Each structure stands twice: as C-alpha cells, then as structure tokens.
Amino acid sequence: NEFFVEVDEEFIQDDFNLTGLGAQVPYYEYALDTILDVETPRDAGLTEEQQDSIEAAAELLYGLIHARYIITPRGMSGMLEKYKNIHFGRCPRVFCQGQPVLPVGQSDIPRTHTCKTFCPKCEDIYYPRSSRHSNIDGAYFGTTFCHLFFQTYWDMVPMPPKDSYTPRIFGFKIYKKVTAAAAAAAA
C-alpha cells in the first residue's frame, strides 16, 4: 500500500523497538516470525483458524511497528519522499488549492479509528479519497507522526489559506446570529 514505507528489518529485529507490543498482539511470536519470514514448522499443530488468526496478528503487528518506525529519522525520510511525490493525496478543500496531505490516526489504539489524511494548510483531517486507504487502521500512523513531521521539516509547512468561503443568498452574506438562532430553535 502506498501509504506505508517499508520498515527496515534491523528495526523489526531490535527488541527495544517492539517493547509492549507483545501485550497488544495475539500470537505475537508467530506474527513476528511471519513478518520476518521465518519458517514455522508444518507440524506446529496449528489449525487453519489459528493460521488465519496469526496472519491477522502479523498485519496488526506490522502496522504498529510501522507507526513507531515512521517517527524515526529513517522512517520520516521515507515518508518525506512519499509526501513530496503526493502519494497520500491532496486536500479536498477548495481554498487549500491541492495541498499535499499526510496520513494521520485519531487514536494510537488499534481498531478504534480508520486512517484519515491531515492537511497542513487548513490544519484539518479528511477521509482518504480511495476506499483502499479508508480501511487502513489509523493506529498504523498514530496521532504523533504528521505533527512531528512538520516540526522536523518545518520548511514544508505551507502558509494558511488566505480565503475562506462566505455563504450568500442572492449575493448577500448570511448573518451568523440568524443561523445560530435557527440551530438553537431546532434543538
């Protein structure tokens, strides 16, 4: 998937980088072996259902490792290249004028929220345009990455949009207190 950078095998093999993940991922050892492409003996006595569970656990584990990797200098460098090549898409907001976006999670806890995209120009989040990306777990990018990215690559932070949309009826601006009063009356 183009939202992910490939995590270095040395990073995965370093136990320090995996601290605490064993408690979050079922079949942790088998999942880690699957990611590292270590052969599991056929006579391990695993049912087909357990094998499917291990594959799902390997996907979860890789995603959580990815979230940790992309906040390292090497991981961030890989994400910078993807950002520059607009692999994550563009902001759908008209006044952001096609600003490239970054993936972001609304939670660091797996299976809580799907991945969204963050626009550094309007500083808002959006659903990814592709349905393939909208099914990715947001925890695989975490809540920290995109903000740390722009603290690191501060020269990539765009100026805020100069314009904003003004609602009008027959050319006249809508008085804001009227819309607030209408909302209060509806509640």
Side-chain angles (χ1 to χ4, degrees):
N1 190 305
E2 56 273 357
F3 270 30
F4 290 88
V5 292
E6 187 173 341
V7 179
D8 293 336
E9 194 168 318
E10 306 90 64
F11 185 87
I12 299 171
Q13 290 175 337
D14 186 343
D15 289 337
F16 177 78
N17 297 325
L18 309 180
T19 302
L21 294 180
Q24 291 183 326
V25 180
Y27 298 105
Y28 174 80
E29 291 297 329
Y30 287 115
L32 186 58
D33 287 348
T34 301
I35 291 170
L36 294 173
D37 213 17
V38 174
E39 285 295 317
T40 306
R42 294 279 174 220
D43 55 287
L46 298 173
T47 66
E48 192 173 318
E49 186 178 305
Q50 287 173 320
Q51 297 248 347
D52 291 344
S53 296
I54 290 168
E55 279 187 39
E59 181 182 318
L60 172 63
L61 180 59
Y62 188 83
L64 295 175
I65 293 170
H66 181 266
R68 292 178 178 196
Y69 179 71
I70 61 176
I71 60 174
T72 67
R74 289 178 78 179
M76 210 169 285
S77 175
M79 294 297 272
L80 175 63
E81 287 307 309
K82 288 182 167 284
Y83 177 74
K84 286 180 176 177
N85 293 321
I86 314 169
H87 285 243
F88 309 119
R90 296 180 181 272
C91 181
R93 190 171 177 270
V94 171
F95 291 111
C96 287
Q97 300 171 322
Q99 171 66 42
V101 295
L102 281 173
V104 65
Q106 290 178 271
S107 174
D108 294 317
I109 300 168
R111 299 182 189 103
T112 307
H113 293 281
T114 57
C115 178
K116 308 296 185 294
T117 56
F118 172 78
C119 174
K121 194 165 193 168
C122 65
E123 297 184 335
D124 208 349
I125 62 172
Y126 300 92
Y127 290 102
R129 289 191 182 217
S130 171
S131 60
R132 280 183 350 156
H133 302 133
S134 61
N135 292 326
I136 299 171
D137 197 317
Y140 296 172
F141 299 94
T143 56
T144 299
F145 164 69
C146 64
H147 309 294
L148 183 61
F149 180 91
F150 288 113
Q151 290 291 313
T152 304
Y153 301 111
W154 54 267
D155 56 320
M156 302 296 282
V157 178
M159 296 298 294
K162 294 175 185 146
D163 299 319
S164 64
Y165 179 72
T166 304
R168 297 176 184 269
I169 297 177
F170 298 119
F172 297 99
K173 291 181 185 177
I174 298 173
Y175 189 61
K176 293 207 184 270
K177 285 190 178 178
V178 172
T179 56

